[in-house]
Amino acid sequence: MAVPLLDVNAQNLPLEAELTAAFTRVLRDGRFIMGPDVAELEAEVAAMLGVPHAIGVSSGTDALLLAFMALGLGPGDEVLCPTFTFFATAGTLARTGATPVFVDACPVCFNLDIEDARRKITPKTRAIVPVHLFGQMADLDAVNALAEEHGLRIIEDGAQSIGARRHGAGFGAKSDFATYSFFPSKNLGGFGDGGMVVTGDDELAEKARIMRVHGGKPKYYHHVVGGNFRLDALQAALLRVKLARYGEYTESRRRNAAYYTEKLAQIPGVVIADPSGHCHDAVTQARWLAESGAKLVLPAASPHNDHIWNQFTLRVIGEGRRDALRQHLADRQIGCEVYYPLTMDQQPCFRNLPESSRQGCENAHRLASEVISIPIYPELTRAQRDEVIEAVGAFPNAG
Ligand SMILES: *Cc1c(COP(=O)(O)O)cnc(C)c1O
């Protein structure tokens, strides 16, 4: 039985009647730009996250760009950015003219290594962008402390983590902005591109709302340069249908993750990552890994975190073995993907950045050669999960 990495139809088609009704409502209303559904979705997302302001935008990428523009980041500014992330985090920074300074990754939670971030601060550093990778929030306590010490802005890239919590909160109390994406593969997956910017700051919210419509206020009078960063009314209407079920989707992802963890951990050579105390301590981690004799490491939630499992990402230990597992799964028609094969400091387009922006990312380089993500979407059946587990278990020496 083939198991896809993601099956959007399994989630969307059961909602066909409601989705069609939402489409028809907008069609008949005739207001396709902004309008009541965008405002309603914004209010619903703000309530879910417990944040005063949510601003619907055209994509997760534009959400980042808008947040950076609203904070006035630009040429001469250095911004701490995880090197182990999706391209958009770094790409949008570069587009503002600011210099991304790449920060190494924690080998346990995959998020930014705060000690490395600290080492890379200079008098030009203006902001830090914690990415909540794979559905788990970064250590915002550590980010807050660092930001406070050095007067840095905080922009959370939560594209993969809408609804994830840390100490019960989905938005950092000290953050300026957090951004989200409704790309179909994200946990709240839309029907095309879409995104959201949230903030607790009234002035920043107002600024972002103005910059979303080219910076014009009133219309056609521009004190700042913005862009067309609007979310479509149709997209908002359809997303609201799924937002109403978002809690169930998250529960199912957690159930899938718990099942994988329980079953895969029984295979010889498979260990569960130990997030307690080892996070950000690469030396202790390396020793732990060597002593455990692990060939495959399962992901785990860090203390205080509610993980929402956008991805279930394994680490395959040993030269060339990740690519061998990838081939092995492909041969068995088990969907899998490598997020991400290259770190940002390794990307050809960033070769012109100063050397100091691209150094000291060794843990991330190693992760890029070890990681592989397996199907975790909410509608996976038990038979499908078992199929994935059996395939991983049959990997020579997984084992
Ligand atoms: C998906 C993603 C984005 C970009 O979102 P889009 O909606 O695809 O533009 C940004 N950052 C991260 C970490 C992502 O995973």
Side-chain angles (χ1 to χ4, degrees):
M1 172 183 38
V3 183
L5 183 63
L6 175 68
D7 182 355
V8 292
N9 283 350
Q11 184 161 94
N12 295 333
L13 296 189
L15 305 175
E16 192 169 351
E18 260 184 83
L19 291 167
T20 308
F23 172 82
T24 306
R25 189 177 70 239
V26 177
L27 172 72
R28 292 186 180 159
D29 182 68
R31 286 174 288 178
F32 302 132
I33 301 295
M34 311 291 277
D37 274 293
V38 171
E40 290 293 336
L41 179 72
E42 290 175 345
E44 288 162 7
V45 167
M48 175 175 94
L49 298 174
V51 186
H53 306 283
I55 299 149
V57 295
S58 31
S59 69
T61 303
D62 284 345
L64 285 165
L65 186 59
L66 177 58
F68 297 151
M69 286 170 71
L71 289 170
L73 296 177
D77 297 331
E78 292 180 2
V79 181
L80 298 166
C81 171
T83 196
F84 194 58
T85 181
F86 176 61
F87 180 76
T89 325
T92 47
L93 271 177
R95 286 166 65 192
T96 67
T99 304
V101 174
F102 297 120
V103 176
D104 207 1
C106 162
V108 181
C109 67
F110 305 116
N111 285 322
L112 91 173
D113 175 340
I114 200 75
E115 290 313 319
D116 191 52
R118 181 183 298 281
R119 280 192 287 276
K120 289 172 178 170
I121 288 182
T122 77
K124 290 182 181 167
T125 311
R126 279 206 52 209
I128 182 166
V129 188
V131 177
H132 306 315
L133 208 64
F134 302 149
Q136 163 155 254
M137 286 177 79
D139 182 351
L140 286 183
D141 306 298
V143 170
N144 287 343
L146 189 69
E148 202 152 299
E149 213 174 298
H150 296 275
L152 309 180
R153 300 289 207 164
I154 304 174
I155 306 96
E156 301 174 48
D157 180 349
Q160 302 182 6
S161 298
I162 189 164
R165 285 174 180 269
R166 183 173 169 79
H167 294 299
F171 173 69
K174 308 240 168 101
S175 300
D176 294 289
F177 284 109
T179 65
Y180 302 98
S181 164
F182 304 128
F183 186 81
S185 69
K186 306 298 160 98
N187 284 31
L188 184 56
F191 302 81
D193 284 306
M196 193 73 77
V197 174
V198 308
T199 180
D201 184 300
D202 297 347
E203 261 174 55
L204 286 178
E206 171 73 359
K207 206 160 186 191
R209 285 190 189 279
I210 294 170
M211 292 179 102
R212 171 171 65 173
V213 287
H214 297 290
K217 193 188 179 187
K219 212 172 180 183
Y220 309 126
Y221 292 79
H222 300 261
H223 294 282
V224 288
V225 176
N228 174 358
F229 297 132
R230 294 179 300 249
L231 180 68
D232 288 332
L234 270 173
Q235 193 61 250
L238 298 172
L239 277 165
R240 290 181 63 206
V241 173
K242 295 184 70 170
L243 183 63
R245 291 163 172 87
Y246 190 60
E248 294 163 37
Y249 300 151
T250 299
E251 276 318 300
S252 299
R253 285 178 183 270
R254 289 199 174 123
R255 177 202 62 201
N256 293 341
Y259 191 83
Y260 278 152
T261 304
E262 185 200 331
K263 304 285 178 190
L264 289 172
Q266 293 167 16
I267 299 169
V270 178
V271 302
I272 304 169
D274 174 12
S276 60
H278 296 313
C279 207
H280 313 308
D281 180 355
V283 176
T284 312
Q285 260 305 305
R287 193 181 312 134
W288 172 81
L289 200 60
E291 284 168 5
S292 71
K295 293 180 172 156
L296 217 150
V297 183
L298 305 178
S302 300
H304 320 298
N305 273 1
D306 293 330
H307 201 315
I308 62 164
W309 302 103
N310 178 244
Q311 300 296 341
F312 192 89
T313 303
L314 314 171
R315 287 174 62 195
V316 190
I317 310 302
E319 179 98 35
R321 287 187 15 97
R322 187 272 310 279
D323 292 326
L325 176 57
R326 186 183 203 179
Q327 188 59 50
H328 170 86
L329 293 176
D331 291 345
R332 288 159 183 256
Q333 295 184 282
I334 305 291
C336 61
E337 188 54 277
V338 171
Y339 303 112
Y340 297 94
L342 273 192
T343 59
M344 291 306 112
D345 66 285
Q346 294 173 320
Q347 295 293 349
C349 66
F350 291 135
R351 252 178 226 150
N352 59 345
L353 287 178
E355 184 68 31
S356 55
S357 292
R358 297 182 282 119
Q359 64 194 10
C361 295
E362 285 73 21
N363 290 328
H365 296 172
R366 185 167 167 190
L367 285 179
S369 71
E370 290 177 345
V371 291
I372 188 165
S373 299
I374 58 176
I376 189 73
Y377 64 90
E379 296 74 24
L380 274 182
T381 63
R382 183 172 174 156
Q384 286 177 312
R385 293 194 301 261
D386 285 336
E387 182 92 5
V388 174
I389 290 160
E390 198 197 304
V392 173
F395 178 60
N397 311 315

